[in-house]
Amino acid sequence: MDLSLSTRNVSGPGGDRTVVEVGGEIDVYTAPKLREQLVELVNDGSYHLVVDMEGVDFLDSTGLGVLVGGLKRVRAHEGSLRLVCNQERILKIFRITGLTKVFPIHNTVDEAVEATD
């Protein structure tokens, strides 16, 4: 399966956010595409990202590494990276790896956009 990516800008109480909608599988083959997108957004000045993972069917350790790398990039600019995920099988991966303590994880994009840093 392939990876689909789209971005859009939204405004919320915490300021402007860039929402990255991700669909498909984030694995060793597709993760570089997501990494490039996150790097490009940060290089263009988008430091507050919301990664919408509602359409993600599969996530492996390579994908987790890309998300952690994205978080490090935005934090270097005092930014934030919030995840939107309500699928139990994907959430389980974040719980097992302890990344629920690292990433703010929300049920909806609106909830993530409304959250303040």
Side-chain angles (χ1 to χ4, degrees):
M1 178 157 223
D2 204 13
L3 181 73
S4 64
L5 294 171
S6 66
T7 60
R8 69 182 195 277
N9 293 315
V10 294
S11 293
D16 292 339
R17 302 276 185 259
T18 300
V19 178
V20 181
E21 287 182 27
V22 186
E25 298 180 358
I26 307 173
D27 59 21
V28 69
Y29 303 106
T30 61
K33 185 175 174 183
L34 177 59
R35 180 183 293 115
E36 287 172 21
Q37 180 72 65
L38 295 177
V39 168
E40 188 177 305
L41 287 168
V42 172
N43 288 345
D44 290 344
S46 297
Y47 304 135
H48 295 282
L49 305 178
V50 174
V51 178
D52 181 359
M53 299 178 59
E54 288 186 66
V56 172
D57 302 318
F58 177 80
L59 175 69
D60 72 2
S61 60
T62 310
L64 288 174
V66 167
L67 293 172
V68 170
L71 180 63
K72 287 180 181 177
R73 283 183 204 289
V74 295
R75 281 191 175 165
H77 299 279
E78 298 185 16
S80 63
L81 193 152
R82 299 176 178 282
L83 302 178
V84 175
C85 182
N86 53 23
Q87 299 177 60
E88 189 54 39
R89 68 182 183 280
I90 303 291
L91 287 169
K92 188 175 182 180
I93 296 166
F94 286 98
R95 279 196 289 275
I96 289 170
T97 57
L99 290 173
T100 52
K101 295 177 181 78
V102 177
F103 289 102
I105 301 177
H106 303 275
N107 288 320
T108 66
V109 170
D110 287 344
E111 190 182 294
V113 169
E114 298 293 314
T116 55
D117 295 327

